[in-house]
Amino acid sequence: MAIAVQMDGVHKSFGENAVLQDFSLTVQQGEAVVVIGPSGSGKTTVLRVLAGLEGFSRGRFSIEDSVVEAQRSRESEAKYFGRTRPVLGCRVGMVFQHFNLFPHMTVEENITMAPVLHGRATRHDARVLAGELLERMGLHEKLHSTPAQLSGGQQQRVAIARALALKPDVMLFDEATSALDPEMVGEVLHVMKDLAEGGTTMIAVTHEMQFAREVAHRVVVMDGGTVLEEGPPETIFSAPRNERTRQFLTRVLDPTHVPLSGTA
């Protein structure tokens, strides 16, 4: 199977705080990778680096045949977005915690804007694609609605459709359900599951452990900007090798658990 995403020795710091420490990750085409770990472990930063939203001082990564090298000075990191987006083009689609839809635009306009601006589709073809994507999301009747007229779950499904409209090589999901009311979480996870089962290459950061169990081909556990361990969901959840992984899973799977004194 061909490699879709390759990160090699990526190091990223915010001031003196190293959030990624020689981080490496390989994702195969069509693979659904779920990244879990405690808050502050660097999970979101991995996605932001891949999306071209953050610079990094050491290492490199590639998405398909697009290669991005480290930017070693603060000045070059400040210009990172402008330099990197042309390299990545439309290879990455990212769905954020908060929907980030344009409030003054209709659902259709939110979805069609980027494909037209990037020359990926004519306005007519973009509208046809928007209708197809919304049908897939179960939202075809919301084509001419504004974001304010939608529930949180509906807005996030529109955000997924917007990312898919660019026909990216990889989809990135950053805690896509964390801003939703509990009853709306399922509808977004259902869409993500359908994408994974349909062969979409995806990297998802989430605290939804049941989703990780059921959907991921591979689970990556992070802490301190590095990979603690990775493997199939049944291995990670049933027989983790790393003690830090066991502690983390004990907490998230049993919220009533109180760590013993001295444990991290």
Side-chain angles (χ1 to χ4, degrees):
M1 190 177 293
I3 294 175
V5 178
Q6 181 79 57
M7 300 182 77
D8 294 309
V10 172
H11 187 91
K12 167 67 180 178
S13 296
F14 293 108
E16 299 299 316
N17 180 31
V19 291
L20 294 180
Q21 302 190 59
D22 295 321
F23 182 86
S24 296
L25 176 69
T26 301
V27 180
Q28 307 293 331
Q29 288 180 354
E31 187 178 22
V33 173
V34 172
V35 184
I36 64 174
S39 297
S41 58
K43 306 184 299 297
T44 290
T45 303
V46 169
L47 300 189
R48 289 182 63 81
V49 165
L50 288 173
L53 301 176
E54 296 287 354
F56 55 102
S57 58
R58 191 164 66 239
R60 69 198 296 269
F61 74 86
S62 61
I63 297 177
E64 298 294 341
D65 58 355
S66 296
V67 179
V68 179
E69 302 281 352
Q71 307 291 303
R72 290 180 171 80
S73 72
R74 289 190 177 184
E75 179 184 357
S76 61
E77 282 206 28
K79 299 175 181 177
Y80 186 79
F81 182 81
R83 292 180 176 180
T84 305
R85 292 307 294 178
V87 176
L88 293 176
C90 301
R91 292 194 177 280
V92 178
M94 186 162 178
V95 179
F96 300 86
Q97 296 180 33
H98 301 283
F99 326 121
N100 294 346
L101 299 177
F102 293 105
H104 61 289
M105 293 183 175
T106 65
V107 165
E108 181 184 62
E109 290 167 341
N110 266 281
I111 295 172
T112 59
M113 184 180 70
V116 173
L117 285 177
H118 286 279
R120 303 280 281 188
T122 64
R123 191 169 299 278
H124 173 268
D125 289 345
R127 285 175 174 167
V128 172
L129 178 59
E132 293 172 350
L133 288 170
L134 287 173
E135 186 75 41
R136 187 176 180 183
M137 300 294 144
L139 293 172
H140 192 269
E141 75 283 0
K142 302 297 185 181
L143 191 67
H144 301 297
S145 300
T146 62
Q149 296 171 309
L150 306 179
S151 69
Q154 290 171 336
Q155 289 187 61
Q156 193 62 297
R157 281 183 281 162
V158 172
I160 294 172
R162 180 178 61 180
L164 288 171
L166 286 170
K167 300 180 180 179
D169 294 306
V170 58
M171 285 286 290
L172 308 177
F173 293 89
D174 182 21
E175 297 285 7
T177 61
S178 65
L180 300 177
D181 292 334
E183 65 268 22
M184 298 178 185
V185 169
E187 61 191 50
V188 174
L189 292 180
H190 178 73
V191 169
M192 293 171 64
K193 181 178 180 180
D194 282 350
L195 291 174
E197 292 177 346
T200 298
T201 305
M202 75 167 60
I203 306 174
V205 168
T206 184
H207 284 102
E208 299 290 340
M209 295 299 116
Q210 193 60 35
F211 174 82
R213 284 180 184 269
E214 294 180 2
V215 177
H217 297 113
R218 181 159 47 101
V219 174
V220 175
V221 186
M222 286 187 66
D223 191 30
T226 63
V227 175
L228 290 179
E229 59 181 302
E230 57 183 293
E234 59 269 21
T235 300
I236 296 298
F237 286 100
S238 300
R241 298 184 306 274
N242 190 285
E243 176 59 27
R244 186 73 181 91
T245 302
R246 287 193 287 271
Q247 292 174 356
F248 168 73
L249 290 175
T250 297
R251 287 198 296 272
V252 297
L253 297 176
D254 179 11
T256 65
H257 172 77
V258 179
L260 296 176
S261 177
T263 60

